[in-house]
Amino acid sequence: AIKFEKRYAAPWTKQFHQLYYRAGRVYRRSPEYSVIRTLVMFVFAVIFGTAYWDMGWNIETDFWLRLAFIYTTTFYCGLTFLISGVSVLMGQRVVFYREKAAGMYSSNMYALAYMMAEV
């Protein structure tokens, strides 16, 4: 069996740079994903904006109610983007398995690069 000094072919900085660049290209090359994401964000802004519209700051319960709305808005936006991003990531699954089996990249670097590209 062949033995190597390191587990991966490149250091983690090089892995992240290459994977981040690739993830950025994947997301840029799927314009329907970006358009749907923008439309969903606009719809959420209208829906949750109308909920905030006439909310006062009079008492402590108004503050906690507003805080709950902010949490709910963030949660629903994050969940929606997570679900919509699965379709983009499924196209990269075969490449991930092949490169992971070859010892090219770490799973953690894949996760970090795609997470940063999504942001």
Side-chain angles (χ1 to χ4, degrees), residues 24-78:
R25 280 188 306 178
V26 166
Y27 282 111
R28 276 195 313 270
R29 290 182 180 172
S30 55
E32 64 278 349
Y33 171 73
S34 299
V35 168
I36 294 297
R37 187 173 168 170
T38 303
L39 290 175
V40 166
M41 197 63 181
F42 180 73
V43 168
F44 277 158
V46 169
I47 290 172
F48 288 112
T50 56
Y52 291 127
W53 188 259
D54 198 23
M55 195 178 292
W57 287 95
N58 308 14
I59 53 177
E60 187 178 350
T61 46
D62 290 337
F63 170 75
W64 289 109
L65 186 61
R66 189 176 293 261
L67 201 61
F69 273 133
I70 291 171
Y71 171 78
T72 305
T73 305
T74 306
F75 178 77
Y76 278 115
C77 288

Side-chain angles (χ1 to χ4, degrees), residues 16-30 88-89 92 109-118:
F16 176 75
H17 181 267
Q18 293 292 327
L19 290 170
Y20 180 70
Y21 181 72
R22 183 192 309 167
R25 280 188 306 178
V26 166
Y27 282 111
R28 276 195 313 270
R29 290 182 180 172
S30 55
V88 174
L89 290 175
Q92 296 295 311
M109 287 303 114
Y110 263 100
L112 184 63
Y114 275 87
M115 179 186 72
M116 293 302 292
E118 180 76 24

